[in-house]
Amino acid sequence: MESVIETPRGGFSFELCKRNEALRHAGIKFPNPVKTGTTIAGIVFKDGVILGADTRATEGTVVADKNCAKIHYIAKNIYCCGAGTAADTEYTTEIISSDLELHRLSTGRKPRIATACRLLKQYLYRYQGEIGAYLVLGGVDSTGPHLFTIHAHGSTDKLPYVSMGSGSLAAMAVFEDGFRPNMELEDAKKLVRNAVAGGIFNDLGSGSNIDICVITTEGVDYIRPYDEANIKGVRVGDYTYPRGATAVLETTVRKFEVTSETVKTVESMES
Amino acid sequence: MSNIFEYNGSAVVAMVGKECVAIAADRRLGMQAQTVTTDFKKIYEMNNKLYVGFYGLATDAQTVSNRLKFQLNLYQLRENRLIKPKAFMHMVSNLLYSRRFGYYFIEPVIAGLDPKTNDPYIATMDLIGCPMETKDFVVAGTCSEQLYGMCESLWKPDLEPDDLFETISQALMNAVDRDAVSGWGAVVQVIEKDQITTRTLKSRMD
């Protein structure tokens, strides 16, 4: 029996699995975690890599988040778009980013995309696809620009242009038509924008705006949003209720006294 | 038995106003069709500027709120300061994701003000900890679709605390009126930088 007083440890805890399985056998329906539906895409262009993503997160058929960020930071020169179960893409990229940073400190070298890819595929394979993370990984390292896709079961592909998610077919159609090797920056940005827009306007699981991340040897340009493809309408009527409209049974007010606050900066020691 | 989230029934909503946040929840605790009590606490105070409400299975909500308070107390003892709402959101998210394969059946709604700058902050997450931060409102509940509809229509930016109270109350009450398993009373907390107002609403008890 686990002690009640335990400090939180890292890693997964399986203490509730038995209870949940029993509930499943009793015929209880389980809720849907937030999925990113999604259209994510990436291309290799002349100076580096461009990643693009839409910004809709769905919970079943309801749009849970109209402007979520699907391009995750892995390292200063490596970013990763995530499709699939949103919590999984969020945490998987964070865990691998942390591992990669430790690796970077250990090797003393700028991290390579192939390393990030290997870390991700080995992590995901261990969970046999139960962690639903479908990723587009891209960046520029000392060996040049690289672009990978990683599936939840751990398979990877290394390609010059990729798309993932429910809108991947729409995005890939745009790429197959418009991709050329060694494109210029502006043309490449437009192509990625069009690919993601193809997903947004044709796929139900993708929507809202288009985010873009341009990674070159010079640095990273994370443009969020690159294109606000869907703007909310302006409300014409005013639905403010007059004060006192709501019937209240009981009111309790707790005031605090805001005492003065001084901030004293301390010079850090030179290391 | 149907969806486990609908076993107890609940509705929680949080909104951002001008230098304030409000969080509101219904008060029913049921066992499927039978109502057990109409004064069940769903919003827990974490510190005087940070509140978290839970939608879902009541037992998991109580367990998670206790675990969170414990972790938060350790944090505050270690850091000797109040936690920032965004850091708290990550704490909750971590707790839920650590049980990614044997999950708690809850969705938390976090509302608070930054302890130093008093910037309003709201967030929610799904049952495995995927965070969703917004600048307008967050909803969770058996009547989440009704709440989305009400909030999209009623919310506007920069509402004063009293107006924010009216907006959030009407959004919640009208949404739960269209849901059989939530309602039976409502409680609303409006958090400003120098006071917290807790109001219990008079609502339909059916």
Side-chain angles (χ1 to χ4, degrees):
Chain A
M1 269 290 246
E2 190 187 51
S3 160
V4 171
I5 313 207
E6 102 270 7
T7 42
R9 256 165 302 166
F12 290 121
S13 163
F14 297 96
E15 61 183 7
L16 290 173
C17 284
K18 201 165 167 197
R19 174 193 82 158
N20 291 3
E21 265 314 293
L23 287 170
R24 201 183 296 242
H25 276 296
I28 303 222
K29 274 205 290 278
F30 276 24
N32 304 308
V34 167
K35 296 207 150 215
T36 53
T38 305
T39 309
I40 50 176
I43 61 169
V44 176
F45 74 109
K46 195 177 87 183
D47 307 319
V49 156
I50 301 188
L51 302 172
D54 74 307
T55 60
R56 173 182 285 182
T58 51
E59 205 164 343
T61 51
V62 177
V63 176
D65 196 345
K66 288 188 272 192
N67 200 344
C68 71
K70 299 188 191 178
I71 306 182
H72 307 283
Y73 170 91
I74 302 269
K76 273 216 278 282
N77 56 326
I78 307 175
Y79 277 73
C80 185
C81 306
T85 307
D88 287 336
T89 58
E90 185 86 32
Y91 275 93
T92 306
T93 47
E94 264 178 27
I95 287 168
I96 263 63
S97 168
S98 154
D99 285 345
L100 199 62
E101 175 66 9
L102 289 171
H103 186 258
R104 179 188 78 83
L105 289 165
S106 158
T107 58
R109 291 185 174 91
K110 217 164 123 177
R112 296 190 185 192
I113 295 86
T115 318
C117 179
R118 198 131 285 230
L119 287 169
L120 281 162
K121 77 182 333 189
Q122 287 176 350
Y123 175 77
L124 291 172
Y125 181 77
R126 229 173 32 234
Y127 291 94
Q128 288 293 292
E130 292 292 323
I131 294 190
Y134 296 85
L135 312 166
V136 166
L137 174 75
V140 179
D141 60 27
S142 53
T143 58
H146 300 282
L147 189 61
F148 291 89
T149 50
I150 302 147
H151 291 250
H153 285 265
S155 61
T156 57
D157 296 293
K158 186 177 188 314
L159 294 161
Y161 56 96
V162 296
S163 68
M164 294 283 264
S166 53
S168 63
L169 268 64
M172 189 45 85
V174 174
F175 277 156
E176 288 290 8
D177 184 45
F179 179 81
R180 312 268 176 276
N182 294 317
M183 288 173 81
E184 291 297 329
L185 174 66
E186 286 308 315
D187 292 333
K189 273 171 65 172
K190 281 208 194 69
L191 181 65
V192 173
R193 181 253 162 228
N194 288 339
V196 180
I200 286 175
F201 293 112
N202 295 294
D203 172 46
L204 302 178
S206 319
S208 294
N209 313 323
I210 299 158
D211 293 346
I212 273 195
C213 185
V214 182
I215 311 171
T216 55
T217 40
E218 259 96 77
V220 171
D221 192 12
Y222 192 143
I223 313 168
R224 176 176 152 80
Y226 174 73
D227 185 357
E228 252 184 279
N230 293 287
I231 304 177
K232 191 173 166 169
V234 177
R235 192 187 300 152
V236 176
D238 183 21
Y239 301 109
T240 340
Y241 286 88
R243 292 189 189 184
T246 315
V248 176
L249 288 174
E250 211 184 305
T251 309
T252 328
V253 179
R254 232 174 74 200
K255 288 193 194 278
F256 329 113
E257 231 175 67
V258 182
T259 50
S260 70
E261 195 182 84
T262 50
V263 177
K264 190 171 133 188
T265 49
V266 177
E267 289 292 321
S268 62
M269 283 201 318
E270 233 117 23
S271 56
Chain B
M1 220 203 291
S2 63
N3 199 329
I4 189 72
F5 268 58
E6 285 164 18
Y7 184 72
N8 294 127
S10 51
V12 189
V13 58
M15 284 190 182
V16 166
K18 191 172 179 140
E19 289 165 14
C20 59
V21 284
I23 183 166
D26 72 324
R27 305 189 75 197
R28 178 182 178 269
L29 176 74
M31 276 165 48
Q32 287 182 277
Q34 182 185 34
T35 303
V36 174
T37 181
T38 57
D39 61 359
F40 190 67
K41 184 163 131 172
K42 293 177 192 174
I43 301 175
Y44 297 88
E45 180 186 336
M46 292 289 134
N47 67 46
N48 62 12
K49 282 187 178 167
L50 187 60
Y51 281 73
V52 60
F54 293 101
Y55 151 58
L57 198 59
T59 170
D60 281 352
Q62 289 184 329
T63 307
V64 171
S65 70
N66 286 334
R67 280 221 153 106
L68 278 173
K69 193 78 176 80
F70 169 65
Q71 283 186 19
L72 185 59
N73 285 344
L74 281 177
Y75 180 98
Q76 282 177 182
L77 283 169
R78 253 198 332 261
E79 306 263 331
N80 201 20
R81 62 179 174 87
L82 293 177
I83 193 170
K84 286 203 184 84
K86 199 171 160 87
F88 179 72
M89 182 277 286
H90 282 294
M91 188 187 274
V92 184
S93 177
N94 252 298
L95 197 158
L96 294 178
Y97 194 74
S98 73
R99 280 143 182 87
R100 194 248 179 266
F101 297 116
Y103 24 76
Y104 285 120
F105 296 110
I106 57 153
E107 280 182 19
V109 169
I110 298 160
L113 299 175
D114 187 292
K116 291 250 150 54
T117 61
N118 291 313
D119 287 337
Y121 179 89
I122 50 171
T124 184
M125 54 195 74
D126 70 345
L127 77 173
I128 47 174
C130 170
M132 278 171 280
E133 297 163 300
T134 59
K135 296 259 175 283
D136 40 23
F137 53 83
V138 289
V139 308
T142 42
C143 52
S144 64
E145 302 190 19
Q146 293 91 320
L147 279 165
Y148 274 126
M150 289 303 310
C151 291
E152 283 280 4
S153 314
L154 297 185
W155 186 84
K156 58 185 210 198
D158 289 329
L159 284 165
E160 294 290 326
D162 288 330
D163 297 320
L164 184 67
F165 161 70
E166 298 292 339
T167 306
I168 199 175
S169 308
Q170 291 296 327
L172 180 68
M173 295 218 295
N174 288 301
V176 302
D177 282 353
R178 280 285 187 178
D179 179 28
V181 293
S182 53
W184 276 268
V187 68
V188 183
Q189 315 252 25
V190 180
I191 306 151
E192 302 165 61
K193 66 174 186 283
D194 56 358
Q195 71 178 44
I196 297 174
T197 318
T198 311
R199 292 184 183 85
T200 317
L201 305 183
K202 181 172 182 208
S203 68
R204 288 174 67 133
M205 302 297 273
D206 63 351

